[in-house]
């Protein structure tokens, strides 16, 4: 039974790390949309 408890703990750690990484990546993607590093991307054609 000890093996299963260890495996579950390891899986929980992996899932939490994966979720945190995806959260950070999503936040960076959101913030990139508000950056002014490419002014041509939000130039409006009249």
């Amino acid at each position: 039974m000890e093996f299963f408890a260890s495996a579950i703990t390891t899986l929980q750690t992996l899932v939490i790390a994966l979720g945190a990484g995806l959260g950070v990546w999503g936040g960076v993607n959101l913030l990139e949309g508000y950056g002014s590093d490419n002014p041509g991307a939000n130039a409006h054609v009249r």
Side-chain angles (χ1 to χ4, degrees), residues 19-39:
L22 283 174
V24 169
W25 182 61
V28 167
N29 274 335
L30 275 176
L31 291 175
E32 275 184 354
Y34 300 112
S36 57
D37 55 348
N38 185 7

Side-chain angles (χ1 to χ4, degrees):
M1 262 337 250
E2 182 63 33
F3 170 75
F4 287 112
S6 172
I8 288 172
T9 305
T10 305
L11 280 175
Q12 282 178 335
T13 306
L14 282 173
V15 167
I16 290 171
L18 185 63
L22 283 174
V24 169
W25 182 61
V28 167
N29 274 335
L30 275 176
L31 291 175
E32 275 184 354
Y34 300 112
S36 57
D37 55 348
N38 185 7
N42 38 4
H44 298 287
V45 179
R46 292 182 187 227

